[in-house]
């Protein structure tokens, strides 16, 4: 089934995972096979490499960037992930990443829920209808 990938600093990754795992459980009880993977990392270069690697992960269907400051090489990697057709949700944060994400979400738990709702075959939420918005 489809996978949500969450990358960023420790505490925020955990909070996004709370939302994503709870929402995925709700869908999986009804027969879907959504999985949630986390990659807690520090440092811009490690983050940029991890974001770039998302395009090579099997079944990666949406990416959430959980942190308080992301820009530069990470932003360029975000652009490449989006070009590969994988939507990117960013927490509201400093840096240029939020301007390049498909969706910016203030609450980390809600970011995780949105990521799962977008890839679910049963949910009505579609990131394309809210692209560029902030919640």
């Amino acid at each position: 089934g489809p996978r949500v990938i969450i990358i960023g600093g420790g505490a925020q990754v955990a909070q996004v995972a709370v939302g994503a795992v709870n929402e995925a459980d709700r869908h999986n009880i009804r027969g879907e096979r959504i999985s949630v993977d986390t990659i807690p990392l520090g440092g811009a270069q490690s983050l940029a490499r991890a974001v770039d690697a998302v395009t090579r992960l099997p079944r990666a269907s949406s990416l959430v960037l959980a942190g308080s400051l992301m820009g530069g090489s990470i932003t360029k990697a975000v652009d490449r992930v989006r070009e590969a057709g994988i939507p990117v949700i960013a927490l509201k944060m400093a840096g240029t990443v939020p301007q390049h994400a498909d969706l910016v979400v203030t609450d980390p738990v809600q970011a995780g829920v949105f990521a799962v709702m977008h890839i679910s075959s049963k949910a009505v939420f579609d990131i394309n209808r809210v692209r560029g918005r902030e919640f």
Side-chain angles (χ1 to χ4, degrees):
R3 287 163 86 175
V4 172
I5 312 294
I6 306 163
I7 299 177
Q12 282 146 313
V13 168
Q15 287 299 296
V16 174
V18 165
V21 168
N22 278 298
E23 185 69 10
D25 282 348
R26 230 170 52 76
H27 291 279
N28 292 347
I29 285 167
R30 297 182 178 90
E32 292 194 72
R33 308 282 301 140
I34 298 167
S35 59
V36 178
D37 292 303
T38 62
I39 310 174
L41 280 174
Q45 283 319 112
S46 317
L47 281 163
R49 282 197 299 274
V51 170
D52 267 322
V54 169
T55 59
R56 301 190 300 275
L57 285 172
R59 304 181 339 272
S61 307
S62 72
L63 169 63
V64 184
L65 289 173
S68 42
L69 169 62
M70 291 186 190
S73 56
I74 305 166
T75 300
K76 291 184 180 79
V78 164
D79 290 339
R80 291 188 287 271
V81 167
R82 290 185 62 219
E83 280 162 25
I86 299 169
V88 176
I89 296 172
L91 294 185
K92 187 165 183 166
M93 67 174 89
T96 51
V97 159
Q99 287 131 21
H100 289 249
D102 292 289
L103 189 61
V104 178
V105 183
T106 307
D107 176 44
V109 174
Q110 190 172 333
V113 172
F114 272 145
V116 171
M117 282 170 53
H118 174 69
I119 65 175
S120 162
S121 56
K122 295 182 166 66
V124 292
F125 176 75
D126 180 5
I127 210 164
N128 300 303
R129 294 176 62 185
V130 292
R131 179 164 278 121
R133 300 266 303 279
E134 193 178 288
F135 293 100

